[in-house]
Amino acid sequence: MESTRRLLLVGKTISWNQQDDCCLWDGVVCDQQTGCVISLDLSSSCLYGPINSSSSLFCLGHLQRLNLADNDFDSSQIPSGFRSFPRLAYLNLSFSEFYGKIPLEISGLSRLRSLDLNGNSELTSPDLMRLVQNLTHIEKLYLDFVDLSAAIPGKVVNLSSLSSLSLYSCGSILSSLSNLSKITLLELKDNNFFGEIPSALANLTQLTSFSMSGNDNVSCGSLSWLGKQTEFLQLDLENCNISGEIPPSLKNFTQLNLLLLNSNHLSGQISHWLTNRTRLAILDLGHNEFRDPFPHQISELVNLEAIYLRENHLSGFVNLNPFFNLQHMERFYISVNATLRKWHMLGLRLCNLREFPDFLRYQDKLEYLNLSGNKIRDEIPSWLWNISRETLEFIGLAFNCLTGFEQPALVSRLRNLKFLVLDCNKIQGPVPRPPPSIFGYTITNNSFSGEISSTICNLPHLYVLDLSFNNLSGMLPNVCLTRRAI
């Protein structure tokens, strides 16, 4: 390990200088009896450059787990030296900028249970059958973005231990996938599939997670084969050309925690039976053709974290109060439902929001908006100053974690704004000038810097101005001292 330490002193390995015993190094696990290194995790360690097959890394013959994910190996080839790890059960090389053919030496790692090559878009495996022929114990196989260049061979579907198979954006598919009797996770997103999903997939009785999204030429048909499934936890059928009502075959999935049916041609009423799926955490029905009144029963999904209903044709009044009572709720998107009623007053104070609600983009009648006391971070987006430009009189953004403005000059465009409250954030930069209509302007306890412009104190209707506890400099303009009620 000494020479390995010299080669890789970046990221996690910086701490290796602090201990002589390599078994105490960050990312290293040793066998307690033999002292041999059995696990090495250098994921996200800022490693750069190729790994040579003569590297001291390959001297660690007792390794059982190796994680080199999320580094930059500079479009180099995966070295053949991996054959030096006969005991290896877990290998993760995902998102590490490897290039070229997957070396067949990996097929000699007969004890592998998990192989993750995700996110290396320049990797190729022209002979997947030879790659996996000896991996008889493989349980998890992740080949997202890898160029398989041919149909999935029958050898893959004969891997009796395989429980998770992810082939995101890879190539063709065979109906023989239905022979994967033990598979629990099947990811087939963004491939070039044609025709209907094979009904033979009904034989995958242990399947709990299935994704077919992003296959524009696929027809999910009636999804009748789903009627034989009962164990689904996650189902992703985005952009699968499903039309009509939500398929009734989904009623059987009482344990669902994720359901993605966005970007289809679903219409009619959003099914009431969805409200019985109490474990549902993420529901996406956006980009469809639902036209009935907004389904308020969805607020009964007590574990809901995110709901997406954007770009439909829902109608009626939306009562947000029940959604604020949901303990785990974080994301709520109903934008571009043209027939939904617009608000005049919207108070979302102390609602644990982490970002500006997207549906605000399409509100053009607001007079009062209060988002104070939340956890909204980063910059104030420029679109916020364009909504309800003619009507908005009050904006409260105090007690958040805001850091600045995307375009500070836009603040002055709200023609009827009377009160702007930005207290207790982390906003940096110069003090933006509010519109001439402003009555009260408070920005205390931030990190504003620069000088105070005399134009602020010249605003004709300004009554309350609080700039305290910032990093302002220079002299206070005389006009600010002579204003009567400041």
Side-chain angles (χ1 to χ4, degrees):
M1 284 296 291
E2 185 64 29
S3 57
T4 303
R5 179 172 67 172
R6 287 199 301 270
L7 289 172
L8 302 174
L9 276 179
V10 287
K12 292 179 182 177
T13 56
I14 292 176
S15 65
W16 291 6
N17 277 326
Q18 302 170 5
Q19 297 284 348
D20 292 330
D21 184 356
C22 69
C23 294
L24 299 177
W25 292 349
D26 188 14
V28 177
V29 177
C30 296
D31 185 283
Q32 292 185 351
Q33 295 182 343
T34 65
C36 295
V37 177
I38 58 174
S39 177
L40 182 61
D41 183 357
L42 291 175
S43 59
S44 305
S45 291
C46 305
L47 303 184
Y48 179 80
I51 303 176
N52 193 288
S53 289
S54 61
S55 168
S56 58
L57 171 69
F58 299 112
C59 296
L60 303 176
H62 294 270
L63 266 187
Q64 299 174 20
R65 298 176 64 89
L66 177 61
N67 189 349
L68 299 176
D70 192 26
N71 287 291
D72 185 356
F73 294 111
D74 195 24
S75 296
S76 61
Q77 290 191 318
I78 297 176
S80 59
F82 282 98
R83 62 191 171 196
S84 305
F85 302 132
R87 296 176 173 84
L88 204 63
Y90 174 95
L91 177 60
N92 190 343
L93 303 178
S94 62
F95 298 98
S96 287
E97 300 296 328
F98 282 114
Y99 171 85
K101 293 182 180 180
I102 302 171
L104 291 178
E105 283 80 5
I106 287 182
S107 68
L109 303 177
S110 58
R111 296 190 184 184
L112 267 187
R113 295 198 303 272
S114 176
L115 175 61
D116 191 343
L117 301 176
N118 277 353
N120 292 287
S121 58
E122 298 187 44
L123 272 183
T124 62
S125 179
D127 194 344
L128 186 59
M129 183 170 71
R130 290 186 64 192
L131 176 65
V132 302
Q133 62 184 351
N134 296 322
L135 304 183
T136 54
H137 298 288
I138 198 75
E139 298 173 2
K140 299 179 179 180
L141 183 59
Y142 304 105
L143 299 174
D144 294 359
F145 297 104
V146 175
D147 181 7
L148 300 182
S149 73
I152 300 168
K155 193 73 176 178
V156 174
V157 301
N158 291 329
L159 296 171
S160 58
S161 299
L162 194 63
S163 61
S164 298
L165 176 62
S166 185
L167 300 173
Y168 181 21
S169 193
C170 290
S172 305
I173 186 175
L174 293 179
S175 58
S176 56
L177 283 175
S178 60
N179 296 326
L180 292 170
S181 58
K182 293 187 178 181
I183 201 82
T184 59
L185 179 149
L186 186 57
E187 299 276 353
L188 302 174
K189 297 187 288 186
D190 288 341
N191 286 282
N192 298 316
F193 303 152
F194 289 85
E196 289 197 6
I197 297 177
S199 59
L201 293 183
N203 297 330
L204 306 181
T205 55
Q206 297 190 42
L207 200 60
T208 61
S209 180
F210 179 63
S211 176
M212 271 296 292
S213 66
N215 289 284
D216 297 347
N217 298 311
V218 160
S219 172
C220 287
S222 65
L223 294 174
S224 58
W225 66 275
L226 288 175
K228 299 180 181 180
Q229 306 289 343
T230 58
E231 303 299 323
F232 271 119
L233 302 177
Q234 299 186 340
L235 183 60
D236 179 0
L237 297 175
E238 174 189 351
N239 197 16
C240 277
N241 293 305
I242 308 173
S243 58
E245 296 184 348
I246 297 176
S249 53
L250 303 188
K251 289 183 180 180
N252 296 333
F253 308 147
T254 57
Q255 308 302 311
L256 271 181
N257 57 55
L258 179 146
L259 178 60
L260 308 182
L261 296 174
N262 52 302
S263 302
N264 282 289
H265 306 287
L266 295 168
S267 58
Q269 189 175 34
I270 295 177
S271 305
H272 291 297
W273 55 260
L274 278 176
T275 61
N276 296 325
R277 304 299 173 262
T278 55
R279 298 191 179 186
L280 204 58
I282 299 176
L283 176 63
D284 192 344
L285 302 176
H287 299 273
N288 279 289
E289 300 168 13
F290 295 110
R291 292 184 176 274
D292 281 3
F294 182 86
H296 292 96
Q297 299 88 345
I298 289 178
S299 64
E300 299 173 15
L301 298 172
V302 294
N303 288 301
L304 202 61
E305 298 174 10
I307 181 170
Y308 303 86
L309 296 173
R310 61 198 181 283
E311 299 202 33
N312 280 284
H313 304 283
L314 299 172
S315 60
F317 176 75
V318 181
N319 182 6
L320 291 178
N321 288 334
F323 292 97
F324 297 143
N325 294 328
L326 298 178
Q327 183 177 358
H328 307 288
M329 191 71 179
E330 294 183 350
R331 301 175 186 271
F332 185 82
Y333 291 89
I334 60 171
S335 57
V336 199
N337 280 282
T339 55
L340 287 179
R341 190 174 300 175
K342 304 295 179 69
W343 290 288
H344 291 275
M345 302 183 68
L346 188 58
L348 301 176
R349 182 173 172 269
L350 298 172
C351 289
N352 203 32
L353 298 175
R354 298 179 185 274
E355 58 186 23
F356 287 95
D358 192 62
F359 65 84
L360 290 178
R361 292 173 182 262
Y362 309 97
Q363 294 296 316
D364 56 11
K365 303 295 183 184
L366 280 173
E367 299 172 9
Y368 174 96
L369 176 63
N370 194 347
L371 301 175
S372 298
N374 285 288
K375 299 177 181 178
I376 305 175
R377 298 181 176 276
D378 301 324
E379 292 185 330
I380 302 172
S382 55
W383 59 259
L384 188 71
W385 311 109
N386 290 320
I387 65 170
S388 305
R389 188 186 300 178
E390 304 294 330
T391 59
L392 202 53
E393 296 184 0
F394 178 97
I395 297 181
L397 300 176
F399 294 95
N400 279 285
C401 301
L402 299 168
T403 58
F405 302 81
E406 279 187 355
Q407 293 182 271
L410 295 180
V411 176
S412 62
R413 292 192 178 183
L414 293 171
R415 299 178 182 176
N416 287 297
L417 188 65
K418 293 180 172 59
F419 294 93
L420 178 58
V421 183
L422 300 172
D423 303 336
C424 301
N425 280 284
K426 302 176 181 179
I427 304 175
Q428 303 178 19
V431 178
R433 186 179 187 275
S437 58
I438 200 74
F439 276 57
Y441 186 34
T442 66
I443 61 171
T444 181
N445 283 287
N446 278 282
S447 298
F448 286 105
S449 58
E451 297 187 356
I452 301 173
S453 171
S454 60
T455 59
I456 291 181
C457 296
N458 276 325
L459 294 169
H461 303 291
L462 188 64
Y463 187 80
V464 176
L465 176 65
D466 191 345
L467 310 178
S468 60
F469 297 100
N470 280 285
N471 297 320
L472 301 173
S473 58
M475 298 292 293
L476 187 66
N478 288 331
V479 66
C480 291
L481 295 172
T482 57
R483 282 298 297 269
R484 198 157 43 99
I486 293 178

